């Protein structure tokens, strides 16, 4: 079993030390997107714009942890103007991020055109194949997050409409969670899909920050006891949740309001077909502005899954995945790890006996 899927992987052999160095180098390099990547318009970018159009002007528009941004103003074939938003990054990991985001936004926009910017294209620079780009139609947004009486309703609508095309959990392309690629292999069981996803995230975090004996023992109990206890009842017996399209990283940095319509709009997606409540994990973290009032409003539009009494602890489990992924994204910062450990302690102490029902894992 490889190091991304084995629970509690050790990190003290020479090969594993090298893997840790490589993991940290991947994150460091991903963050070093060259500024010159948005100092010109590459031929492949121009070719991605509508036929007959040409670039009138462009300008830099900020950056995130591992991308640089630009706005392109183009003259269309009919003489009118249109604006496009472009993100650029580099490295093979960055290309995976870009492709996963393009396909995620394509799925959300195709389902609800007013809820996400329209993706246009992604690809590599002709002048430098190391540089990757993603273009979408420009949407003028506010600086504030959408109100609690608007965003949850739209998210619930997306979850109701976005049914998995084949009835299983996953996505048709991998997406990245930070610098870690999530394969999104189609899986019949949510318990299995989530276990494999969170294990991969956990082991990546270990490579980034090193061993922690307590954390590794806690995670072993999470996999063997907590996850089966909280997720198996969702899809066994009389219960049968459906895989729903989720944004996958919906915290307050990825949601704003459209200035023209005043409606919520979301972006920077890492989508998959998942249990819809998985989306609410980040909303259960007090460090974010999208917090408990948004969860309460969501429940007015999408009822809690059975068993309802496990709802709050499922959200702690789901926010744990978000937190451990955040921990792996930031070198030399252990505060997210400390938060993850607190959540693991709570869940492991509450469910020491694990799943005690009569059913095996779905599909096994």
């Amino acid at each position: 079993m490889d190091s991304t899927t084995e629970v509690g992987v050790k990190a003290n052999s020479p090969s594993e030390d090298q893997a840790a160095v490589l993991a940290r180098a991947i994150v460091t390099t991903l963050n070093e997107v060259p500024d010159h990547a948005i100092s010109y318009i590459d031929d492949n970018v121009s070719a991605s714009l509508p036929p007959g159009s040409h670039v009138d002007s462009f300008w830099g528009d900020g950056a995130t942890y591992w991308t640089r941004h630009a706005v392109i103003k183009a003259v269309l074939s009919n003489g009118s103007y249109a604006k496009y938003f472009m993100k650029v990054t580099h490295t093979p990991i960055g290309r995976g991020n870009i492709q996963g985001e393009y396909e995620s936004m394509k799925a959300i926009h195709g389902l609800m055109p007013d809820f996400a910017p329209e993706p246009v294209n992604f690809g590599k620079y002709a002048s430098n194949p190391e540089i990757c780009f993603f273009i979408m139609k420009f949407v003028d947004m506010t600086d504030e997050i959408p109100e609690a009486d608007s965003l949850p309703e739209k998210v619930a609508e997306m979850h109701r409409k976005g049914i998995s095309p084949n009835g299983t959990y996953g996505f048709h392309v991998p997406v990245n969670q930070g610098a870690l690629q999530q394969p999104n292999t189609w899986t019949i069981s949510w318990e299995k899909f989530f276990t494999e996803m969170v294990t991969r995230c956990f082991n990546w975090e270990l490579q980034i920050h090193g061993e922690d004996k307590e954390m590794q023992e806690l995670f072993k109990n999470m996999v063997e006891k907590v996850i089966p206890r909280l997720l198996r009842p969702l899809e066994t017996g009389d219960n049968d949740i459906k895989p729903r399209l989720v944004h996958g990283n919906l915290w307050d940095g990825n949601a704003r309001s459209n200035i023209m319509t005043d409606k919520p709009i979301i972006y920077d997606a890492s989508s998959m077909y998942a249990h819809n409540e998985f989306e609410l994990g980040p909303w259960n973290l007090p460090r974010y502005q999208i917090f408990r009032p948004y969860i309460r409003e969501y429940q007015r539009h999408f009822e809690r899954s059975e068993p309802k009494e496990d709802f709050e602890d499922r959200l702690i489990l789901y926010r744990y995945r978000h937190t451990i992924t955040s921990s792996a994204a930031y070198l030399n910062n252990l505060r997210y790890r400390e938060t993850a450990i607190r959540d693991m302690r709570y869940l492991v102490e509450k469910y020491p006996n694990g799943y005690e029902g009569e059913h095996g894992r779905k599909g096994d």
Side-chain angles (χ1 to χ4, degrees), residues 16-242:
E16 287 158 347
D17 287 342
Q18 291 170 7
V21 170
L22 176 60
R24 292 178 67 86
I26 286 172
V27 174
T28 299
T29 304
L30 187 60
N31 297 341
E32 297 172 344
V33 183
D35 290 333
H36 68 76
I38 56 170
S39 66
Y40 66 101
I41 299 298
D42 182 79
D43 288 347
N44 284 349
V45 172
S46 297
S48 298
L49 302 178
S53 64
H54 66 271
V55 175
D56 176 78
S57 58
F58 67 95
W59 55 92
D61 193 46
T64 60
Y65 201 46
W66 38 61
T67 58
R68 300 291 179 267
H69 305 158
V71 176
I72 301 169
K73 183 179 180 182
V75 181
L76 304 182
S77 59
N78 63 4
S80 64
Y81 290 91
K83 288 198 294 186
Y84 300 88
F85 184 76
M86 180 175 71
K87 302 174 71 170
V88 298
T89 187
H90 67 162
T91 78
I93 297 295
R95 178 173 173 79
N97 266 327
I98 287 290
Q99 181 177 7
E101 183 180 350
Y102 170 81
E103 294 292 344
S104 298
M105 297 299 289
K106 186 177 176 181
I108 295 171
H109 182 269
L111 191 69
M112 299 176 63
D114 66 339
F115 197 36
E118 181 179 352
V120 175
N121 198 15
F122 78 98
K124 299 178 181 179
Y125 274 19
S127 58
N128 181 359
E130 177 70 5
I131 303 296
C132 308
F133 67 89
F134 168 38
I135 302 173
M136 66 192 89
K137 289 188 176 181
F138 181 84
V139 177
D140 206 2
M141 304 180 196
T142 65
D143 292 330
E144 295 80 33
I145 62 171
E147 297 292 337
D149 62 357
S150 61
L151 179 64
E153 182 177 5
K154 295 293 287 186
V155 173
E157 181 184 351
M158 178 179 72
H159 292 165
R160 287 195 304 272
K161 291 179 176 178
I163 303 296
S164 171
N166 56 23
T168 63
Y169 299 92
F171 202 55
H172 62 284
V173 297
V175 298
N176 281 32
Q177 296 165 345
L180 174 66
Q181 186 178 84
Q182 165 64 23
N184 282 334
T185 304
W186 295 110
T187 306
I188 193 171
S189 163
W190 170 238
E191 179 189 343
K192 180 179 181 181
F193 183 89
F194 181 84
T195 300
E196 292 178 350
M197 173 175 61
V198 77
T199 301
R200 186 175 294 271
C201 294
F202 177 82
N203 285 322
W204 177 250
E205 199 273 357
L206 279 188
Q207 289 185 335
I208 295 297
H209 291 303
E211 286 187 305
D212 182 291
K213 185 175 181 181
E214 181 195 10
M215 189 170 94
Q216 289 171 264
E217 183 61 30
L218 285 168
F219 188 73
K220 183 174 183 290
N221 282 282
M222 291 277 285
V223 169
E224 294 178 355
K225 296 180 179 180
V226 174
I227 294 176
R229 167 61 186 81
L230 290 177
L231 301 191
R232 191 168 302 173
L234 290 168
E235 53 187 4
T236 54
D238 294 331
N239 299 328
D240 186 21
I241 57 171
K242 298 287 191 296

Side-chain angles (χ1 to χ4, degrees), residues 341-356:
I341 289 174
R342 286 196 297 271
D343 279 345
M344 285 196 291
R345 285 179 187 145
Y346 166 79
L347 291 171
V348 168
E349 288 173 6
K350 184 167 182 178
Y351 299 107
N353 298 324
Y355 176 73
E356 298 181 291

